[in-house]
Amino acid sequence: MAKKKIAIACQGGGSHTAFTAGVLKTFLQKLDPRHYEIVGLSGTSGGAMCAVLAWYGLLTGDRAKSITLLEDFWREMSAESAWDKAGNDWLVWLNRMRTGVLIPEISPYELPTQGQEKLAATLEKFIPFADLEKLVSPKSPNLLIGAVNARTGEFTVFQDKHPEKDKRITVKALLASAALPTLFRAVHIGKDFYWDGLFSENPPIRGFLAKPVSMDKKPDEIWIIRINPETRSSEPKSMNEIDDRRNELAGNLSLNQEVLFLNEVNDWLRRGWLTAPQFKHVDVRWIPMDLDLDEASKLDRNATLIQRLMQYGESRAIAFLHHLKQKGARKDTE
């Protein structure tokens, strides 16, 4: 049986993407490489951090390294010291109170850059960015990182094999993807400055398919790790509830557009409207994080929350793989 080619897309969502780390750890540990080949990873913001850590292990042929990197990264990012815990609690509280209490707005340009500096130092501790180009080969899995050019408004996807050097995978590209403009300063790369990928492709998907390469080099399936819930059972009424739902919808807007594009291509293929040899049907599968968490908790680096989310991601990934195995067994008996 031919290997099934898989691309994994990781939606952004701050600390909530510790869930993504749990999912990726499980996939890297339990996906049988004889039957599944991970040919691409993509991500935005926190999803981009998880994607690059998983990708680096695949790049070096060491899945165990990816698992360790994902665990170590989130341990490093968790608030552990007394001062860090106090600052984390204050930031989360401030974001929960902003709709009910008049709090003066402060530009990130008036604040220290410690948050971005810590994130950069942590990434550089685990990923040797200067060596990446030497490790990348034509057969390496693709990595796509979403951001937006705040100067031009253009969607930007940083890639491991991008023809422009400024658009390749660097620590600045990762910082750009996570540069939430109300919290962090824009990240300058070349002549441009970038904001969080929430405003562009969250996460990039069509980049796996739009390249003019042969059909056999494109994924058969795209697995999407979704952080923001698609539906809510009750009507948002308080200002905090309205803000939370607005944030979820904004985070899902570009993702839904990416999936709509993919579904339309599948439909055109089914109807026989696309006949070029580089097009193929691609299935979409979802691994959603179905937890009722507010927007402010996306900034929460509490170690207990991080571990809870990672463990939940592991359990959802195991359930997903079990369902996939059962579905494959049913297909074999039909």
Side-chain angles (χ1 to χ4, degrees):
M1 185 178 70
K3 286 185 184 181
K4 190 156 283 187
K5 296 180 175 64
I6 306 298
I8 304 173
C10 308
Q11 189 180 38
S15 292
H16 289 185
T17 56
F19 168 84
T20 303
V23 173
L24 291 174
K25 278 174 55 184
T26 304
F27 286 168
L28 291 164
Q29 185 178 36
K30 297 187 177 298
L31 269 183
D32 189 338
R34 295 172 301 175
H35 303 308
Y36 293 95
E37 180 185 1
I38 299 174
V39 298
L41 287 148
S42 72
T44 292
S45 193
M49 309 303 154
C50 294
V52 74
L53 293 164
W55 174 74
Y56 179 61
L58 293 174
L59 201 60
T60 58
D62 189 348
R63 291 189 177 205
K65 178 184 287 186
S66 289
I67 294 169
T68 301
L69 289 175
L70 287 161
E71 292 172 343
D72 290 348
F73 173 83
W74 283 102
R75 188 179 299 112
E76 190 93 5
M77 293 304 297
S78 299
E80 293 285 2
S81 70
W83 283 108
D84 202 8
K85 287 179 181 177
N88 175 69
D89 292 345
W90 176 81
L91 180 63
V92 175
W93 175 85
L94 196 65
N95 273 269
R96 288 193 173 125
M97 292 295 104
R98 73 184 189 281
T99 56
V101 179
L102 186 61
I103 299 173
E105 294 186 357
I106 303 174
S107 164
Y109 292 84
E110 300 174 56
L111 297 171
T113 58
Q114 291 173 333
Q116 280 176 308
E117 290 169 2
K118 176 177 179 176
L119 180 56
T122 304
L123 286 167
E124 289 177 325
K125 178 178 178 180
F126 298 126
I127 305 285
F129 287 94
D131 298 334
L132 291 182
E133 288 192 26
K134 300 174 188 174
L135 295 172
V136 172
S137 73
K139 293 184 178 180
S140 301
N142 291 325
L143 178 64
L144 313 177
I145 300 299
V148 67
N149 187 321
R151 183 180 69 82
T152 66
E154 294 175 335
F155 293 178
T156 299
V157 177
F158 296 94
Q159 303 178 40
D160 55 302
K161 303 179 183 78
H162 202 288
E164 298 177 37
K165 193 166 184 179
D166 282 349
K167 303 289 177 58
R168 293 178 192 164
I169 303 301
T170 62
V171 69
K172 278 195 167 185
L174 274 295
L175 293 178
S177 185
L180 190 66
T182 55
L183 193 63
F184 296 127
R185 301 180 187 188
V187 176
H188 289 246
I189 301 175
K191 297 179 181 178
D192 291 302
F193 46 94
Y194 295 88
W195 277 350
D196 195 298
L198 168 69
F199 302 103
S200 59
E201 297 171 83
N202 185 23
I205 291 175
R206 69 182 71 189
F208 291 128
L209 309 170
K211 295 178 181 179
V213 297
S214 63
M215 186 172 63
D216 64 313
K217 292 186 177 180
K218 295 183 178 181
D220 301 306
E221 297 185 1
I222 295 177
W223 296 356
I224 302 173
I225 304 173
R226 189 175 67 201
I227 299 301
N228 292 319
E230 185 69 13
T231 62
R232 285 289 183 184
S233 58
S234 59
E235 179 183 356
K237 293 184 178 180
S238 72
M239 283 308 299
N240 274 339
E241 290 171 343
I242 291 169
D243 263 10
D244 289 347
R245 189 57 181 150
R246 185 173 63 178
N247 175 267
E248 290 167 355
L249 293 174
N252 281 337
L253 178 62
S254 59
L255 171 58
N256 290 338
Q257 290 174 334
E258 293 284 286
V259 175
L260 176 63
F261 164 79
L262 179 55
N263 288 337
E264 285 184 340
V265 170
N266 285 340
D267 185 53
W268 296 340
L269 284 166
R270 182 180 59 81
R271 293 172 182 268
W273 295 350
L274 285 178
T275 57
Q278 65 264 34
F279 290 103
K280 68 189 296 185
H281 177 93
V282 178
D283 289 321
V284 176
R285 302 190 189 279
W286 300 84
I287 307 95
M289 188 194 76
D290 294 326
L291 292 177
D292 189 10
L293 298 172
D294 64 2
E295 178 190 354
S297 64
K298 290 181 176 180
L299 304 176
D300 192 353
R301 295 181 295 107
N302 179 281
T304 302
L305 174 65
I306 296 298
Q307 284 303 309
R308 173 193 167 202
L309 288 169
M310 195 175 295
Q311 290 167 5
Y312 181 56
E314 292 170 13
S315 67
R316 288 307 299 260
I318 290 170
F320 172 85
L321 293 176
H322 179 69
H323 174 75
L324 204 61
K325 186 176 181 180
Q326 285 187 320
K327 188 173 181 180
R330 286 197 300 269
K331 186 176 288 187
D332 289 341
T333 59
E334 289 174 354

